[in-house]
Amino acid sequence: MLIQAKQFIGVNKHMSKQTMFEKIWNNHVIVAEEGKPSVLYIDLHLVHEVTSPQAFEGLRMSGRKVRRPDLTFATMDHNVPTKDRFNISDPISKQQVDTLTDNCREFGVKLYDLDSIDQGVVHVMGPELGLTHPGKTIVCGDSHTSTHGAFGALAFGIGTSEVEHVLATQCLQQSKAKTMLIRFNGKRAPGITAKDLILGLIAKYGTDFGTGYVMEYSGEAIRVLTMEERMTVCNMSIEAGARAGLIAPDETTFEYLRGREYAPQGAAFDAAVAQWKALCTDEGAQFDKVLDFDVNSLIPQVTWGTSPGMGTGITSSVPVPAELPTENERKAAANALEYMGLKPGTPMTEIPIDYVFIGSCTNGRIEDLRAAAAIARGYKVNPNVTAIVVPGSGRVKIQAEKEGLDKIFTEAGFEWRDAGCSMCLAMNPDRSAAGTALRIDFEPQL
Amino acid sequence: MQPFTKMTGLVAPVDRVNVDTDAIIPKQFLKRIERSGFGQFLFFEWRWDEQGNVIPEFNLNKPRYQGASVLISRANFGCGSSREHAPWAILDYGFRCVIAPSFADIFYNNCFKNGILPIQLSEEQVDELFRRTEAQEGYTLNIDLEQKVVTDDKGLRIAFDLDEHRRQFLLQGLDDIGLTLQHEDAISAYEAKRASEASA
Ligand code: SF4
């Protein structure tokens, strides 16, 4: 049975109560056939150098074009050096960067390259340019695309075959996810960051409780977050196994977007705001699952292992694997402790720090740098510690320099770098040696 | 894409939970610009130590598992980053079927797009497969996607289930993009409608 989009939306109008996910989904389904994934329209496709070469190669091999170059934006971030950036010493990294440049030229895709001040981590750049809007469907060949859900956009990571699919068709074949509502109740104590909220949630429920779900975050503790903080929460949805994270758009969202390069301007902006407001989950809409999470008693979270589920409060200790409840957890913990070179039972505060990395798409925004600079000001980095700051984008870098943050960092003994993913991915020369503790002050990329 | 109907293959066990895509293909190998050649780096950090010596205890390094084409592993297989290099590496190494109690979403999807069959069985069933694989050198499984069963030559018979659409997809070796482009009219109509809304 084939239902065309119009009827499909028509049917749903009568199903009065809908979640935000369902509204966005229904607005983008072009073809829904029983027993098959739906054809979903994609509004924005972000492309970077690592997961795209084989996709462009596929297009070329089959004689296909990019269907909507105007909805496709590219940057290079994953393996650009953040020091002496025009001199890419690794020949293969250089080849990827050059390949992206050639592909964008050949297929007519807008590229923010190393010469552009907008170049940066793809999930920092998109929102900064105002490309990310509430209600859009957004994809990118990077799992942390969920970041954009902070604006109330349905955003998720895709693999390279799907990158090719979106380039060729501007659509994806998708099965509808289940919905989960997570209510962050209460008020966080001073010093508790957005990252603590999401790490606390994952430490409590594990790294796969979100599998198959799109999670909507709500509650008092979410409403007070800035856009940057919301992006951090949504970014890490993927660490809970979720397909995507969503936060309903509100005044904070609209204020962030107002005036940005690709946001609607003038009267069109006000019209858009009215539409965006209508996206919020209807009162009384049903979710497949609802979780409550209390933030009143949350303390700063740190991870001791190799997975974000291996986290605990800063006042706790490294676990003793033998004391964990299941065989799987015991094995995984023992492997992780061996890799990290940690002794069971060590208090978290006694673990020596070897590296401090401030950056990535959860910790490289201007706010993050301001917060870190406020702490670093007037102190010196211990000589045994390597500390680097990598701004999330060229614009973040310029802004930080205007505010003199770079001085604070360099005076304290940090290195001040150029924009990129850096140690988050450790594909580039910024990698840390195995067996050194990274200060988990950033989103732990897997 | 190569259709997947039936196969018989040597089974190799990787007895770990949460095998993530970084373990399957470490990030330093993502820099290639081709689709092939990743198999040599599969499970790189488990196959070789930091000095580049072979780690003999890792199953894929044992002579008895050479030439395996069915991989069995534990829960949440393929978690972590969305890199499709993971299924490419698995396929390029020679595996066409992965069996585990659960898979991470994106990885599971990516398997179908690359002609790999991921089979989800219960913990107990996977345990049994681990036992049989370890007990008998040269243990093979027959995977029949037409009948949706896994059998061995000793009378084991496990039915499995998967989405019918995906099954057809593998059976026929279909190309995703071609399928979507069959809806070209609907896509163009949708784009036209959106464009007129935007200018209204
Ligand atoms: S900073 Fe890390 S998580 Fe973010 S896009 Fe880059 S590699 Fe992905």
Side-chain angles (χ1 to χ4, degrees):
Chain A
M1 186 186 47
L2 186 74
I3 314 167
Q4 290 293 333
K6 230 163 120 196
Q7 291 162 327
F8 192 85
I9 292 167
V11 168
N12 274 285
K13 271 201 178 132
H14 301 293
M15 301 177 11
S16 45
K17 319 262 185 232
Q18 292 183 70
T19 64
M20 180 164 43
F21 166 71
E22 285 160 339
K23 292 182 191 183
I24 303 174
W25 176 266
N26 292 338
N27 276 337
H28 290 85
V29 169
I30 294 187
V31 181
E33 289 176 77
E34 238 169 52
K36 292 189 187 175
S38 299
V39 177
L40 189 75
Y41 198 76
I42 301 302
D43 296 321
L44 174 63
H45 185 191
L46 301 169
V47 172
H48 65 84
E49 77 279 18
V50 176
T51 52
S52 70
Q54 290 92 349
F56 284 111
E57 183 193 40
L59 287 186
R60 217 174 280 120
M61 277 158 48
S62 49
R64 289 173 174 139
K65 291 199 298 259
V66 174
R67 183 184 179 94
R68 294 295 300 268
D70 57 324
L71 303 181
T72 312
F73 294 83
T75 191
M76 31 193 69
D77 57 358
H78 276 62
N79 61 21
V80 298
T82 57
K83 208 156 72 170
D84 194 11
R85 61 197 330 220
F86 290 104
N87 196 351
I88 307 179
S89 54
D90 179 293
I92 307 174
S93 294
K94 178 151 175 27
Q95 190 186 23
Q96 280 194 339
V97 166
D98 293 345
T99 304
L100 181 66
T101 309
D102 294 344
N103 283 331
C104 287
R105 198 174 301 136
E106 179 182 341
F107 289 93
V109 170
K110 172 99 183 135
L111 170 69
Y112 295 96
D113 64 9
L114 292 178
D115 287 318
S116 163
I117 64 159
D118 289 306
Q119 176 270 340
V121 179
V122 65
H123 311 312
V124 177
M125 181 200 83
E128 253 178 17
L129 284 168
L131 286 166
T132 305
H133 302 172
K136 274 192 179 179
T137 46
I138 302 177
V139 296
C140 172
D142 177 277
S143 53
H144 291 90
T145 308
S146 56
T147 308
H148 306 262
F151 291 79
L154 177 59
F156 49 90
I158 54 177
T160 299
S161 304
E162 291 172 308
V163 171
E164 183 183 341
H165 195 281
V166 177
L167 289 173
T169 67
Q170 203 55 36
C171 294
L172 266 183
Q173 296 181 16
Q174 283 287 302
S175 305
K176 198 169 172 183
K178 290 179 283 182
T179 55
M180 190 187 303
L181 178 69
I182 298 170
R183 290 187 291 229
F184 284 91
N185 303 318
K187 249 179 131 171
R188 52 188 173 144
I192 300 296
T193 65
K195 217 157 295 114
D196 296 317
L197 295 184
I198 187 76
L199 278 174
L201 183 79
I202 293 168
K204 179 163 176 197
Y205 292 104
T207 48
D208 60 359
F209 78 95
T211 304
Y213 288 89
V214 167
M215 318 219 269
E216 180 175 342
Y217 303 104
S218 70
E220 218 185 316
I222 295 292
R223 283 294 125 218
V224 299
L225 299 179
T226 62
M227 278 325 293
E228 282 79 1
E229 292 174 314
R230 293 179 189 187
M231 287 190 246
T232 295
V233 171
C234 287
N235 173 292
M236 293 194 65
S237 303
I238 205 77
E239 265 69 46
R243 190 99 183 91
L246 278 175
I247 292 177
D250 60 12
E251 288 308 319
T252 307
T253 323
F254 310 143
E255 277 320 302
Y256 179 97
L257 283 170
R258 191 186 297 278
R260 294 202 181 249
E261 187 175 343
Y262 286 93
Q265 310 290 334
F269 186 80
D270 299 329
V273 166
Q275 280 185 9
W276 294 340
K277 282 185 176 160
L279 286 169
C280 299
T281 293
D282 296 325
E283 185 90 33
Q286 291 295 314
F287 286 85
D288 294 304
K289 199 168 179 181
V290 178
L291 286 182
D292 280 287
F293 186 75
D294 173 36
V295 304
N296 287 318
S297 50
L298 195 63
I299 57 170
Q301 301 287 307
V302 272
T303 66
W304 44 264
T306 49
S307 140
M310 297 170 169
T312 183
I314 185 78
T315 53
S316 317
S317 305
V318 175
V320 179
E323 290 170 2
L324 293 174
T326 70
E327 179 57 25
N328 283 344
E329 286 174 73
R330 288 192 283 273
K331 263 193 207 158
N335 284 342
L337 292 188
E338 191 194 319
Y339 179 83
M340 299 292 292
L342 291 176
K343 277 205 196 63
T346 313
M348 295 307 296
T349 47
E350 283 175 19
I351 299 174
I353 290 169
D354 303 308
Y355 278 87
V356 174
F357 166 59
I358 297 173
S360 90
C361 59
T362 58
N363 233 13
R365 299 194 169 82
I366 187 68
E367 275 195 357
D368 302 312
L369 303 194
R370 285 181 191 137
I375 295 169
R377 186 192 297 271
Y379 288 94
K380 285 270 179 250
V381 171
N382 181 307
N384 299 325
V385 173
T386 308
I388 69 171
V389 187
V390 183
S393 72
R395 283 196 189 272
V396 170
K397 183 170 192 235
I398 290 168
Q399 181 60 32
E401 287 174 355
K402 257 193 214 150
E403 297 177 20
L405 304 183
D406 58 321
K407 297 258 154 40
I408 299 175
F409 284 122
T410 45
E411 272 161 25
F414 285 80
E415 277 183 56
W416 178 247
R417 298 281 187 92
D418 286 319
C421 293
S422 185
M423 280 171 101
C424 179
L425 193 65
M427 274 177 75
N428 44 39
D430 300 351
R431 119 188 27 156
S432 73
T436 51
L438 270 170
R439 179 172 166 203
I440 309 300
D441 198 5
F442 66 108
E443 179 284 315
Q445 159 71 30
L446 296 180
Chain B
M1 197 151 15
Q2 209 189 333
F4 189 118
T5 48
K6 282 182 201 173
M7 66 170 287
T8 295
L10 184 71
V11 184
V14 170
D15 196 357
R16 304 200 189 203
V17 285
N18 299 325
V19 172
D20 65 39
T21 50
D22 193 44
I24 296 172
I25 180 82
K27 47 209 156 217
Q28 63 267 32
F29 301 114
L30 306 190
K31 293 176 176 173
R32 305 165 64 93
I33 58 165
E34 304 86 18
R35 277 183 189 227
S36 56
F38 287 97
Q40 52 189 315
F41 310 120
L42 179 73
F43 297 124
F44 187 83
E45 279 163 13
W46 295 344
R47 276 160 76 194
W48 291 278
D49 68 15
E50 273 166 48
Q51 282 72 47
N53 303 313
V54 169
I55 301 173
E57 301 80 38
F58 184 62
N59 278 344
L60 295 195
N61 286 337
K62 294 179 184 165
R64 61 179 283 193
Y65 295 120
Q66 296 316 301
S69 55
V70 177
L71 178 66
I72 58 174
S73 191
R74 299 294 186 179
N76 202 20
F77 190 88
C79 58
S81 95
S82 58
R83 65 188 67 150
E84 197 163 339
H85 309 69
W88 292 341
I90 286 175
L91 188 68
D92 192 63
Y93 184 88
F95 291 115
R96 288 222 63 201
C97 175
V98 185
I99 303 178
S102 61
F103 293 90
D105 273 356
I106 300 178
F107 177 82
Y108 188 78
N109 269 325
N110 284 339
C111 282
F112 291 97
K113 296 183 197 315
N114 289 283
I116 301 168
L117 173 63
I119 301 181
Q120 192 170 350
L121 298 179
S122 70
E123 294 270 358
E124 295 71 37
Q125 289 167 331
V126 172
D127 268 346
E128 182 58 31
L129 293 180
F130 267 97
R131 261 196 299 281
R132 289 183 182 227
T133 305
E134 272 144 34
Q136 186 198 328
E137 189 159 341
Y139 182 74
T140 60
L141 280 174
N142 314 305
I143 317 283
D144 183 341
L145 184 59
E146 278 161 354
Q147 304 295 324
K148 296 194 274 187
V149 295
V150 176
T151 55
D152 70 6
D153 301 335
K154 296 240 165 75
L156 176 101
R157 184 183 168 88
I158 304 174
F160 63 89
D161 206 13
L162 80 166
D163 185 86
E164 180 53 23
H165 171 71
R166 289 189 155 132
R167 192 174 78 102
Q168 289 302 333
F169 202 80
L170 281 185
L171 286 174
Q172 298 171 39
L174 289 178
D175 163 5
D176 247 347
I177 296 180
L179 273 184
T180 299
L181 288 176
Q182 291 174 352
H183 301 294
E184 172 60 41
D185 291 351
I187 302 172
S188 296
Y190 180 86
E191 287 178 328
K193 181 170 144 270
R194 289 276 299 265
S196 70
E197 278 168 10
S199 58

